[in-house]
Amino acid sequence: MKNLILIIGMVGAFSMLTINVCAQDSETSNHSLDMGIPEVCLLDTDAGSISLELTTTEAGAQISGGTGTGYAQVSSIVSAAETRTIEATITGVPAGTSLEVDTAIPSNGNQGGILGSGTSSVALVNGAGAVTLVTTIGSCFTGTSATDGYVLSYTWDAGAVGDYGSIVATTGSTATVVLTITNTP
Amino acid sequence: MLLQLLILLHLLNNFIMKKSGLIFIMLVGSLLLTTNAWTQDWTAGDNVTLTVQDFCLIETNYAPVALTLITSTAGAAAASTSNSDLFVKISSIVPGGTNREITARISSGSVPTGTALTLVSAPCTTTNSGGILGTPVATPITLSAIDQDLVIGIATCYTGTGYNDGYQMTYTWGPDSPSTNYGLIESNTYNIIVVFTITAHDGN
Amino acid sequence: MFVYKKIVLLISLVVLFFSFLTIVPAQNNNTAEMSITLKIPAIALIDFVVDGSQMITYSYSYSGPNQVEQIIIPTTGDKTWLNYSSIVKSGLTNYITAHISSGSLPADVSLNVLIGADVGVGAGLKGTSIGQITLSTFPQNIITNIGSCHTGRGINKGHQLTYIWENPDSYNYSLNYEEGNAIAVTYTFTSTE
């Protein structure tokens, strides 16, 4: 009987010990989180139409003054040490005329990130190779409203002097600029 | 009792010699009965001290949480993304008048540059819980390497143990000050570990 | 019991490793088209300038952008230059006519104009001069086959006009001028569309 009491006592003490061990003052639980940022490379243009007109009101003067503005919107997320470039090709520029574009990086407050560097007076020539409009684009966004984005200011004029005679009146021909954003080689 | 043990030994021999085990089982049963009767005797008239130790336990529902930062609209910044799959379950007993908090911090990895990860707790689910479950901190915390309070005022309580019992945690991940910091964002996969801690009660 | 209350006694370590990365396919829509509508209106603008270094009495008025009128006196001489700008539709050409639009000449007086060739400033398909004509009240072609071109603005640009009088002494310019019967010549730039 005494042995049994002893055993019970030991069991009791052990139970107390166990409870002490289990008592917690603070405890943690870890939780793992996977966070992915895929590369993003999106380019769009605003739907607003660009309409340029080449004319003059002075007898003897050459036609000039075709200017207009378009916007190219970009979302870009690059991996480390990668940059992107926007290039342009064109079709549909009327004979005898020359179209140039200045590209300014967005600055209206709806943009963020590394927007790169613009260019000025880049000639857009039918059938020519792609020309570079914006370089060193990183992770950035330009905003999505109609006047957000890279500002493409087109200047349309008569072309080379020798080609003036090839100009013909047109009530509305359409030139199409194809913009492409690519990883900089 | 000695007699019973002797009979037991005897029958055990018989049992080994492939005799009926029925009597053996009955005897074991009588031995247990005897012990029970004795125990009852022992506790009668004694002082019984009931001790409830303060303790706390914390666990999650192991929900995998994966967040992806992306946009599908040209010109748009990557949108914030949220995940509310994670539930934190606790059991807590505290001395009277004391409280615990649930805190969270990042223990491994870091939030990608140019982004911020916030966390906020919902009030504890009510289905299987009881006690004083505390109050979530309303403003989402921006997770960092330093513990910040998610739920405060937790006293003695339990949250339930089901998959969707406990405090539902909402992670929100998005660009941090995109107008200035967006260029810091780099495409990659990042793994971080968030540690939830239920603190010691504030009476200790 | 426990001095260091923040000591973690039991850690339930749950680290969920995902066996694959959750990179979704990258979003790419990396080209966009920008459409530009280009208009070149047909134009036919004509003007003249007179060399101001000589004391010449002249006046002109616009009847429209494609028409100008010049008052001619016996000393106008060769100091007038005709400037024009022209944009034609494909396959078409413009031409310029001249006629006496005001005043009348005595029967024994005639007024000729010699239209010089384009001097070569400007650009494009400038017209062909007809040479010399005798002006009348009926329009006559003086420059034809004008394509898209511009002559430049000012003296020594475009076509030089030289007025040649026959028997000018019979024409009392001063009297006619005072009576509002000065001789005026109108040049009209006409599109063949």
Side-chain angles (χ1 to χ4, degrees):
Chain A
M1 186 66 94
K2 284 186 176 179
N3 286 345
L4 199 53
I5 294 168
L6 181 61
I7 292 167
I8 291 170
M10 286 173 67
V11 168
F14 183 70
S15 297
M16 294 290 285
L17 194 64
T18 305
I19 291 168
N20 282 341
V21 168
C22 286
Q24 302 299 311
D25 287 309
S26 70
E27 191 177 340
T28 66
S29 181
N30 288 11
H31 185 245
S32 174
L33 206 60
D34 263 13
M35 306 165 79
I37 308 178
E39 286 196 20
V40 172
C41 184
L42 294 170
L43 177 67
D44 200 2
T45 57
D46 68 299
S49 63
I50 304 166
S51 187
L52 308 182
E53 185 170 294
L54 207 51
T55 191
T56 181
T57 57
E58 293 183 328
Q62 72 174 24
I63 51 175
S64 65
T67 59
T69 303
Y71 300 89
Q73 290 134 14
V74 166
S75 287
S76 170
I77 291 179
V78 296
S79 58
E82 184 180 41
T83 62
R84 295 195 166 121
T85 300
I86 296 177
E87 295 181 330
T89 58
I90 195 164
T91 54
V93 178
T97 67
S98 90
L99 186 64
E100 290 189 345
V101 63
D102 293 346
T103 307
I105 65 171
S107 60
N108 67 351
N110 295 335
Q111 81 286 354
I114 299 171
L115 293 150
S117 303
T119 52
S120 61
S121 300
V122 173
L124 298 171
V125 179
N126 290 341
V131 291
T132 299
L133 301 186
V134 186
T135 59
T136 61
I137 298 168
S139 291
C140 68
F141 62 94
T142 61
T144 56
S145 66
T147 56
D148 287 343
Y150 293 93
V151 184
L152 277 65
S153 300
Y154 294 96
T155 303
W156 188 35
D157 266 315
V161 169
D163 295 334
Y164 199 91
S166 63
I167 297 171
V168 292
T170 170
T171 53
S173 63
T174 298
T176 302
V177 180
V178 177
L179 301 174
T180 305
I181 182 167
T182 56
N183 289 348
T184 305
Chain B
M1 180 163 285
L2 188 61
L3 179 64
Q4 287 171 319
L5 286 171
L6 285 171
I7 294 169
L8 178 60
L9 285 171
H10 175 72
L11 286 175
L12 204 55
N13 285 337
N14 288 346
F15 183 67
I16 291 164
M17 290 186 286
K18 303 187 177 170
K19 294 209 172 175
S20 169
L22 180 61
I23 298 170
F24 169 74
I25 292 166
M26 287 173 64
L27 217 82
V28 171
S30 72
L31 183 64
L32 288 171
L33 272 174
T34 307
T35 308
N36 283 348
W38 176 82
T39 304
Q40 210 165 16
D41 287 345
W42 172 253
T43 56
D46 198 1
N47 286 329
V48 177
T49 302
L50 298 176
T51 302
V52 181
Q53 297 288 332
D54 66 280
F55 73 97
C56 63
L57 296 166
I58 188 167
E59 187 64 283
T60 75
N61 67 344
Y62 311 141
V65 174
L67 295 164
T68 302
L69 212 56
I70 196 157
T71 179
S72 57
T73 304
S80 289
T81 178
S82 292
N83 183 299
S84 301
D85 293 345
L86 182 72
F87 286 77
V88 170
K89 293 167 276 188
I90 63 167
S91 291
S92 167
I93 292 180
V94 297
T98 65
N99 295 307
R100 300 180 192 276
E101 292 86 44
I102 295 175
T103 65
R105 65 182 160 86
I106 294 170
S107 68
S108 170
S110 57
V111 177
T113 56
T115 70
L117 179 65
T118 66
L119 183 60
V120 68
S121 175
C124 185
T125 55
T126 56
T127 311
N128 298 312
S129 63
I132 299 170
L133 291 152
T135 308
V137 175
T139 307
I141 61 170
T142 299
L143 283 169
S144 68
I146 299 167
D147 269 314
Q148 297 174 74
D149 287 346
L150 281 172
V151 184
I152 60 175
I154 299 167
T156 296
C157 66
Y158 61 95
T159 60
T161 57
Y163 189 81
N164 287 341
D165 285 341
Y167 304 91
Q168 186 173 20
M169 297 293 172
T170 298
Y171 289 102
T172 301
W173 185 37
D176 179 29
S177 301
S179 59
T180 53
N181 293 335
Y182 200 84
L184 302 174
I185 298 173
E186 290 177 354
S187 167
N188 209 333
T189 296
Y190 306 84
N191 183 269
I192 69 174
I193 295 176
V194 175
V195 179
F196 294 92
T197 301
I198 182 159
T199 65
H201 61 77
D202 53 17
N204 286 13
Chain C
M1 288 182 290
F2 292 89
V3 176
Y4 303 104
K5 298 303 180 186
K6 289 290 185 181
I7 290 174
V8 174
L9 296 178
L10 183 64
I11 294 175
S12 169
L13 186 63
V14 180
V15 178
L16 301 176
F17 289 108
F18 297 144
S19 57
F20 55 92
L21 302 181
T22 54
I23 286 268
V24 302
Q27 293 276 319
N28 283 305
N29 181 14
N30 64 344
T31 64
E33 285 188 2
M34 195 172 269
S35 187
I36 305 174
T37 301
L38 300 171
K39 294 178 187 168
I40 307 177
I43 54 173
L45 299 171
I46 188 168
D47 199 0
F48 63 86
V49 289
V50 178
D51 187 348
S53 66
Q54 292 195 3
M55 293 304 290
I56 297 173
T57 302
Y58 71 96
S59 177
Y60 70 92
S61 63
Y62 273 115
S63 300
N66 62 337
Q67 206 166 50
V68 286
E69 184 179 61
Q70 181 182 20
I71 292 174
I72 310 298
I73 61 175
T75 57
T76 301
D78 62 356
K79 302 308 175 190
T80 301
W81 296 81
L82 204 56
N83 299 160
Y84 53 88
S85 290
S86 170
I87 296 291
V88 295
K89 291 183 179 175
S90 180
L92 300 181
T93 56
N94 292 338
Y95 60 92
I96 296 170
T97 61
H99 69 279
I100 294 172
S101 53
S102 178
S104 59
L105 292 170
D108 59 340
V109 178
S110 64
L111 177 59
N112 298 333
V113 61
L114 174 64
I115 300 102
D118 175 73
V119 297
V121 184
L125 301 175
K126 281 164 282 194
T128 305
S129 169
I130 209 79
Q132 182 173 325
I133 61 164
T134 299
L135 290 163
S136 72
T137 56
F138 297 102
Q140 300 171 70
N141 288 351
I142 57 165
I143 302 169
T144 58
N145 211 24
I146 302 168
S148 291
C149 65
H150 68 100
T151 60
R153 285 176 62 74
I155 60 168
N156 299 316
K157 290 169 183 168
H159 300 258
Q160 187 174 23
L161 303 181
T162 304
Y163 295 98
I164 302 163
W165 295 78
E166 288 181 4
N167 197 18
D169 294 341
S170 298
Y171 176 63
N172 188 337
Y173 163 74
S174 296
L175 179 62
N176 282 287
Y177 188 83
E178 287 169 9
E179 294 176 349
N181 290 323
I183 295 296
V185 176
T186 291
Y187 296 92
T188 302
F189 202 160
T190 304
S191 170
T192 55
E193 63 178 310

